[in-house]
Amino acid sequence: MTGALRRTAAALLAAAVPAVLLVLLPVGPAQAADYRYWSFWKSSGGAWAYQQQGPAVYVPADGTVDGWRFALSPDGGKEAARPGAVGDFAALCTATPAQQGRKRVGVVLDFGTPADAPKGAGAPPAARTACASVPAAATSAEVLAAVAPPLRYDSAGMLCAIAGYPRAGCGEAVDAGAPAASGSPSGGTGLTGPVLGGVLVLLLGAGAWWQLRRRR
């Protein structure tokens, strides 16, 4: 009997290990959030490429085009919504004469769609373009300030508004809308039926081991 009881207890304890893991692990995968913000782009080969440097440090060359798009987009840049208009420098700056010691940079501003707009902001402004004539050492932030004031930044230096849009907010995370786990309205761990079953197995295994110790 002792040998059979020992084998039974070992089997129950082995089954209890996955139950412990179920209790410790969260229920359901984490949900990613989207963000409402101005993304920064540069025209490259007739297409938009995500700008890896911030506008305060990037110095665009003469004859280039900066693009901006306000949208509800994933964080990380590459999957963000692109400006709708093409970054064609010749078309944007044909009416702006070149000047000694200055450069011309095209700018495309896309204020997004009504679905991208913050709650209560109303319809976004229409997309527009401009050509900035600025000093040769000007950054993209200075280019933008020359053609689309007022700009608004937060305390960390993040660009929040271009041409006053939007009037409030700055890069807010927007919940993806995934439902909370069953039994856990706040999205916490929560004990589901399978986990409770695992806990029961754990208790049974512990009881069998205690009985084995008493028989020795």
Side-chain angles (χ1 to χ4, degrees), residues 110-130:
D110 189 333
F111 294 84
T113 67
D116 295 320
K119 185 177 180 180
R128 70 193 204 203
T129 61

Side-chain angles (χ1 to χ4, degrees), residues 10-11 23 37 43-44 51 59 62 66 84 108 158 160 165 197 201 216:
V23 172
Y37 64 100
S43 182
S44 178
Q51 182 56 267
V59 179
D62 179 65
D66 286 350
V108 173
M158 179 177 179
C160 305
Y165 184 83
V201 171
R216 287 182 175 179

